[in-house]
Amino acid sequence: MTANDDLRQLVRTIPDFPRPGIQFRDITTLFGDAWGFGETVRRLAAAARDSDAQVVAGIEARGFILGGAIAAALGLGFVPVRKRGKLPYQTIGRDYELEYGQDRVEIHVDAIASGARVLLVDDLVATGGTALAAVELFRSVGVEVAAAMFVIDLPELGGAELLRQAGVPVTSLFAFAGH
Ligand code: AMP
């Protein structure tokens, strides 16, 4: 056993979803476990205590579940980073490239004050494209990303490394090989 293997074994792997060759790391089985969900939140919240973050931002959709719980554990507010066209008020956004096509992350213009420090949360980092777009979006309005946190890292895809190169401290609880 290595650190966090007790949580790692609660993640279900679905081969060839949503496309052939992708090993989908299904975190719903970890979230659905009464001990596993709370313990995941406790371990990430403990790692976040030193980051001096003033607010937590979660990336749609599984980042909402985790980020909301971490924010509550830390006594902080929560800001959703949503995909294109979902937020009702005025937004600012950032486009990013997917393997096939483009996507966009958005926040409300008044969601976080310039100068604030945000903790960015998602379930999994793969290529890092989504998280990096969120980092660029926050930085474009003067918000500092104190740290980025994930439950799962897919290190072969290099996303965590890209984030670190961009100056963002990255924490993940455990990794899986491959895509
Ligand atoms: P990326 O922008 O490439 O880092 O992709 C990260 C986003 O895609 C996260 O929100 C993940 O939930 C999702 N994702 C990417 N690859 C996988 C995978 N193999 N299993 C589960 N979710 C994935």
Side-chain angles (χ1 to χ4, degrees), residues 13 19 33 45 49 97 100 104 119 147 159 179:
T13 296
R19 288 194 308 276
D33 185 275
R49 284 212 168 83
E97 299 298 323
Y100 304 102
R104 182 175 172 86
L119 174 72
H179 289 219

Short mmCIF file of all heavy atoms in Angstrom, two decimals, residues 13 19 33 45 49 97 100 104 119 147 159 179:
data_model
loop_
_atom_site.label_atom_id
_atom_site.label_comp_id
_atom_site.label_asym_id
_atom_site.label_seq_id
_atom_site.Cartn_x
_atom_site.Cartn_y
_atom_site.Cartn_z
N THR A 13 -12.72 1.70 -12.83
CA THR A 13 -12.19 2.00 -14.16
C THR A 13 -13.08 1.38 -15.23
O THR A 13 -13.38 0.18 -15.18
CB THR A 13 -10.75 1.47 -14.30
OG1 THR A 13 -9.93 2.17 -13.37
CG2 THR A 13 -10.21 1.69 -15.71
N ARG A 19 -14.54 6.82 -25.45
CA ARG A 19 -14.03 6.40 -26.77
C ARG A 19 -13.09 5.23 -26.59
O ARG A 19 -12.48 5.07 -25.53
CB ARG A 19 -13.23 7.55 -27.40
CG ARG A 19 -14.03 8.72 -27.87
CD ARG A 19 -13.17 9.60 -28.78
NE ARG A 19 -11.89 9.98 -28.18
CZ ARG A 19 -11.72 11.00 -27.35
NH1 ARG A 19 -12.75 11.73 -27.01
NH2 ARG A 19 -10.53 11.28 -26.86
N ASP A 33 -19.13 6.26 -1.59
CA ASP A 33 -18.75 5.53 -0.38
C ASP A 33 -18.72 6.51 0.80
O ASP A 33 -18.01 7.52 0.74
CB ASP A 33 -17.35 4.93 -0.61
CG ASP A 33 -16.92 4.06 0.55
OD1 ASP A 33 -16.38 4.62 1.54
OD2 ASP A 33 -17.14 2.84 0.49
N ALA A 45 -8.64 18.97 1.98
CA ALA A 45 -8.79 20.18 2.80
C ALA A 45 -7.56 20.36 3.69
O ALA A 45 -7.06 21.48 3.86
CB ALA A 45 -10.07 20.13 3.63
N ARG A 49 -4.85 23.75 3.70
CA ARG A 49 -4.86 24.71 4.81
C ARG A 49 -3.70 25.69 4.75
O ARG A 49 -3.83 26.83 5.17
CB ARG A 49 -4.87 23.98 6.16
CG ARG A 49 -6.24 23.43 6.45
CD ARG A 49 -6.67 23.37 7.88
NE ARG A 49 -8.11 23.08 7.89
CZ ARG A 49 -8.63 21.85 7.78
NH1 ARG A 49 -7.83 20.80 7.74
NH2 ARG A 49 -9.92 21.67 7.74
N GLU A 97 -8.35 24.45 -26.24
CA GLU A 97 -8.40 23.40 -27.27
C GLU A 97 -8.66 22.04 -26.63
O GLU A 97 -8.06 21.69 -25.62
CB GLU A 97 -7.06 23.32 -28.01
CG GLU A 97 -6.66 24.59 -28.73
CD GLU A 97 -7.65 24.99 -29.83
OE1 GLU A 97 -8.17 24.07 -30.51
OE2 GLU A 97 -7.89 26.19 -29.99
N TYR A 100 -10.57 17.14 -29.99
CA TYR A 100 -11.40 17.44 -31.16
C TYR A 100 -12.21 18.69 -30.84
O TYR A 100 -13.17 18.63 -30.10
CB TYR A 100 -12.37 16.28 -31.46
CG TYR A 100 -11.66 14.96 -31.65
CD1 TYR A 100 -11.65 14.02 -30.64
CD2 TYR A 100 -11.00 14.69 -32.84
CE1 TYR A 100 -10.98 12.81 -30.80
CE2 TYR A 100 -10.34 13.49 -33.01
CZ TYR A 100 -10.34 12.55 -31.99
OH TYR A 100 -9.68 11.37 -32.18
N ARG A 104 -14.89 26.06 -23.57
CA ARG A 104 -14.73 27.37 -22.92
C ARG A 104 -15.11 27.24 -21.45
O ARG A 104 -16.09 26.56 -21.11
CB ARG A 104 -15.66 28.37 -23.62
CG ARG A 104 -15.57 29.80 -23.11
CD ARG A 104 -16.46 30.69 -23.98
NE ARG A 104 -16.57 32.03 -23.45
CZ ARG A 104 -15.68 32.99 -23.71
NH1 ARG A 104 -14.63 32.77 -24.47
NH2 ARG A 104 -15.86 34.20 -23.19
N LEU A 119 -8.37 28.69 -4.55
CA LEU A 119 -7.97 27.29 -4.61
C LEU A 119 -8.81 26.62 -5.70
O LEU A 119 -10.04 26.61 -5.63
CB LEU A 119 -8.25 26.62 -3.26
CG LEU A 119 -8.02 25.12 -3.18
CD1 LEU A 119 -6.53 24.82 -3.21
CD2 LEU A 119 -8.65 24.55 -1.92
N ALA A 147 -3.32 27.36 -5.37
CA ALA A 147 -2.98 25.95 -5.60
C ALA A 147 -4.08 25.32 -6.44
O ALA A 147 -5.21 25.82 -6.48
CB ALA A 147 -2.85 25.20 -4.28
N GLY A 159 -0.43 17.01 -17.51
CA GLY A 159 -1.16 18.22 -17.10
C GLY A 159 -0.65 18.83 -15.80
O GLY A 159 -0.51 20.05 -15.70
N HIS A 179 -3.92 6.58 -20.17
CA HIS A 179 -4.84 7.67 -20.53
C HIS A 179 -6.17 7.51 -19.85
O HIS A 179 -6.63 6.43 -19.64
CB HIS A 179 -5.09 7.67 -22.05
CG HIS A 179 -3.88 8.12 -22.81
ND1 HIS A 179 -3.95 8.92 -23.91
CD2 HIS A 179 -2.57 7.87 -22.61
CE1 HIS A 179 -2.73 9.14 -24.37
NE2 HIS A 179 -1.88 8.52 -23.59
#
